[in-house]
Amino acid sequence: MLDSQELVDREGRYGSKTVIINTNDGSKVTLDKTIPTLVEVELTTNNKNSNYASVGDELVLKASASEGIVNKKILINGKLVNHTDLTAKQFYASYVFNNSDNDGIVNFEISFSDSSGNKGKVVTSSTNGNKIIFDKKPPSDFITGPVLSGGGNIVQNCWNSTNTHLTVNTPIEKSDTTLINGELEVWARIGANNWERISRPIKIVSDDLGKEKSISIREIIIESINGFKEGGHIDIKSIIRDISGNYTNGTPSENKIIIDQTFPIISRMTIESSNGYPSKAMVGDEIVIQFQADEKIQKATFTIYGKETVAENKEGFIWTVSHIMENSDPEGEIKFSHTPIIDIYGNPAIPTRTKNNDAIIDTTLVFENGNKFSGKWRYGNINGFGHYSWDGIGTYKGNWLDGKKSGQGTMLWDDGSRYEGGWALDEFDGEGTYYYNNGDVYIGEWKNGKKYGKGIFTWKSGNIYEGNWVDGKRSGSGVLTMKNGEKWAIRVLSTPD
């Protein structure tokens, strides 16, 4: 019903033309001719490089409108996605990429309208021009290139006591531009141990395409690889990631690096003459210098009165140098010198080197109490790889840190017991195996010199316990396997001290 008092006469008090000013039930109609717009549209991904995406990455689309939006339809790569309203004017949608998506620029489409039904112009681009590139193709397969030891005495496929770094070469495909701003990592493994990363991620730049990219790995990193020990073999591989995060594990390098840091010991170096009196010589007599090494060595050159002669290996580890005395040779005690005697792995018999202005001495020390050390001495203490023998106790071969056994090493006691595995502050630590001199064996975890964690104890009798250990004692649940094959699930309440 219309309120008659609200009728206004335009031609007279009761004229035929009137305007309705309001209704008595409060209803009204508003004319809205304004077309809604999206004033801000942003695209981002959870990828490390937010303008790129790979399989499993999430794209988030955020939008703000000029007015309240009622109806929305959002397509990403042609697929309808759900949205969430933050306010009447703001909303977002997300999409997780999968293998069905095509590589290239990600397409999207936003259709929308306001409460009056006015449809906005369909939006297909971000307001800041940002685009997302989807890439699901990993880098091409490749073989990790040559691995070369560096510093000191360089011997192919060897890591010796004088080396300071390894150089790892990795081929970068020339035609794959997605590798630009990608990353390269170097991984290593010794024996059957797990692969571990030994380099930080190295950025790949455009100049690297079509070349071998070289990465240098320092000595301290190499000698910290799990399982590092004398006689071990180091496998090296590279991993390449493109800018979207797709990666390819390279085939390990054909170069397997053998670890040999044992210095050759030269003994029984003698000189004698063919004269009837071996300590005397005259012109025409032959002078013979003879020495013995405890392992295979490289050929050494001796100089006698200015004449150079290469030592010859005629029998076993015995080497010989000969010189015929001439008129021009001066009278007196016969003097000679020689080049450093180096084993086939590059370890010198009496080595000293300097790195970063710190003296690193690879040497042998004999103490007054009969103990003996051969290895790396720096910063005024034992640091690095070395051998230590305690008179009447045993020998240790492995890694040291500030004079304490640390890292991987083997201790052999004079009573026949042996431990192989991890150390920390002179104590068994981490994974290790202890061979008792009575034939028992423990394989498992250690902490502060005691069995701690998971471990397997095998008695000489053939019985086996596999379970938990705390402070060197069996604890909690475990399985006891008898030598006849019977198995018992047990729970250890206490064990005698």
Side-chain angles (χ1 to χ4, degrees):
M1 295 293 293
L2 297 178
D3 186 346
S4 60
Q5 293 182 355
E6 297 300 324
L7 298 179
V8 178
D9 181 6
R10 289 192 175 183
E11 295 183 357
R13 175 125 184 112
Y14 299 105
S16 60
K17 296 182 179 180
T18 61
V19 176
I20 299 175
I21 294 181
N22 66 313
T23 61
N24 61 0
D25 64 356
S27 60
K28 60 182 178 180
V29 175
T30 301
L31 175 62
D32 179 9
K33 299 187 293 182
T34 302
I35 303 299
T37 61
L38 297 184
V39 296
E40 187 175 31
V41 177
E42 295 181 353
L43 301 174
T44 188
T45 70
N46 62 348
N47 190 285
K48 182 178 180 180
N49 298 295
S50 59
N51 288 337
Y52 290 83
S54 186
V55 173
D57 288 339
E58 182 181 29
L59 178 148
V60 175
L61 181 155
K62 296 180 180 179
S64 297
S66 58
E67 59 177 286
I69 300 299
V70 175
N71 298 309
K72 312 172 190 69
K73 180 181 179 182
I74 304 173
L75 299 175
I76 296 179
N77 276 351
K79 300 170 185 175
L80 183 66
V81 297
N82 296 324
H83 68 274
T84 300
D85 290 328
L86 300 175
T87 66
K89 296 182 179 181
Q90 295 178 313
F91 62 91
Y92 78 92
S94 64
Y95 176 77
V96 177
F97 293 95
N98 56 61
N99 274 312
S100 66
D101 292 304
N102 296 321
D103 286 349
I105 296 175
V106 177
N107 298 312
F108 71 93
E109 182 179 295
I110 307 175
S111 303
F112 59 99
S113 60
D114 61 17
S115 57
S116 298
N118 297 303
K119 294 182 178 180
K121 183 179 179 180
V122 175
V123 173
T124 58
S125 62
S126 63
T127 51
N128 61 0
N130 187 34
K131 297 179 180 179
I132 302 298
I133 298 175
F134 176 71
D135 175 19
K136 62 183 178 184
K137 181 181 178 182
S140 300
D141 292 337
F142 67 95
I143 299 174
T144 305
V147 178
L148 308 171
S149 56
N153 302 321
I154 299 173
V155 177
Q156 187 175 7
N157 297 334
C158 293
W159 178 262
N160 61 50
S161 60
T162 71
N163 296 144
T164 60
H165 63 275
L166 278 183
T167 298
V168 180
N169 298 285
T170 303
I172 308 298
E173 186 177 346
K174 184 176 183 179
S175 60
D176 190 354
T177 57
T178 65
L179 298 181
I180 298 174
N181 293 322
E183 294 176 342
L184 168 65
E185 298 174 355
V186 176
W187 290 63
R189 177 183 65 184
I190 295 177
N193 291 294
N194 294 328
W195 287 99
E196 55 187 286
R197 194 179 76 182
I198 59 172
S199 79
R200 60 182 177 83
I202 306 297
K203 187 176 181 180
I204 299 173
V205 298
S206 58
D207 286 345
D208 294 327
L209 299 185
K211 303 176 184 176
E212 282 196 339
K213 190 172 181 67
S214 298
I215 297 178
S216 180
I217 311 298
R218 295 182 300 149
E219 171 189 29
I220 191 171
I221 301 300
I222 297 299
E223 297 185 0
S224 296
I225 298 172
N226 189 29
F228 184 92
K229 63 181 179 179
E230 190 80 357
H233 287 80
I234 309 175
D235 289 314
I236 300 289
K237 72 174 181 179
S238 298
I239 294 179
I240 292 178
R241 300 179 190 274
D242 62 22
I243 193 171
S244 297
N246 303 299
Y247 69 91
T248 295
N249 270 292
T251 299
S253 172
E254 295 178 356
N255 300 104
K256 282 183 174 289
I257 307 300
I258 186 171
I259 303 168
D260 188 299
Q261 298 185 306
T262 301
F263 320 120
I265 298 175
I266 307 303
S267 60
R268 296 178 57 194
M269 184 171 286
T270 62
I271 181 170
E272 63 180 15
S273 167
S274 62
N275 191 287
Y277 297 94
S279 62
K280 301 288 185 178
M282 64 181 183
V283 174
D285 285 344
E286 181 183 27
I287 301 300
V288 177
I289 300 171
Q290 191 174 79
F291 65 93
Q292 181 172 332
D294 67 337
E295 60 176 299
K296 292 181 179 180
I297 62 172
Q298 303 176 28
K299 291 182 177 181
T301 299
F302 282 66
T303 302
I304 304 174
Y305 293 133
K307 183 179 179 181
E308 293 185 349
T309 304
V310 177
E312 297 181 359
N313 180 210
K314 295 183 177 181
E315 178 186 353
F317 293 143
I318 298 175
W319 293 74
T320 302
V321 179
S322 63
H323 173 78
I324 304 298
M325 301 305 297
E326 301 174 353
N327 245 339
S328 59
D329 294 335
E331 285 191 329
E333 182 182 350
I334 298 171
K335 303 289 186 180
F336 65 91
S337 62
H338 60 80
T339 57
I341 297 176
I342 300 171
D343 69 17
I344 60 174
Y345 300 103
N347 299 294
I350 309 176
T352 302
R353 59 191 171 89
T354 300
K355 184 180 72 172
N356 299 332
N357 296 321
D358 293 315
I360 301 174
I361 303 174
D362 297 323
T363 189
T364 297
L365 303 175
V366 179
F367 302 93
E368 292 181 359
N369 60 5
N371 295 346
K372 182 179 179 180
F373 169 74
S374 295
K376 295 184 178 179
W377 182 280
R378 58 180 150 186
Y379 314 128
N381 213 331
I382 301 173
N383 278 285
F385 190 87
H387 306 235
Y388 199 109
S389 298
W390 290 266
D391 187 34
I393 298 177
T395 61
Y396 171 79
K397 180 189 295 186
N399 288 297
W400 298 77
L401 179 64
D402 291 335
K404 296 184 182 296
K405 296 182 284 292
S406 181
Q408 294 292 310
T410 299
M411 180 75 190
L412 177 62
W413 284 267
D414 289 349
D415 66 2
S417 302
R418 185 172 86 256
Y419 172 80
E420 299 176 352
W423 296 77
L425 300 176
D426 273 342
E427 302 283 4
F428 308 153
D429 192 83
E431 296 284 342
T433 301
Y434 192 99
Y435 300 88
Y436 293 82
N437 60 2
N438 65 355
D440 297 344
V441 178
Y442 171 80
I443 304 173
E445 298 175 330
W446 300 79
K447 183 179 180 181
N448 297 327
K450 297 180 180 180
K451 305 176 191 71
Y452 204 109
K454 299 291 185 181
I456 302 173
F457 194 100
T458 303
W459 284 270
K460 182 182 179 180
S461 64
N463 297 337
I464 301 171
Y465 170 78
E466 181 176 356
N468 294 304
W469 299 75
V470 175
D471 289 333
K473 299 179 180 179
R474 298 186 298 276
S475 177
S477 59
V479 175
L480 181 63
T481 304
M482 311 302 290
K483 64 179 181 179
N484 61 5
E486 290 183 4
K487 288 189 176 182
W488 295 82
I490 63 174
R491 183 170 183 81
V492 179
L493 300 178
S494 65
T495 57
D497 292 332

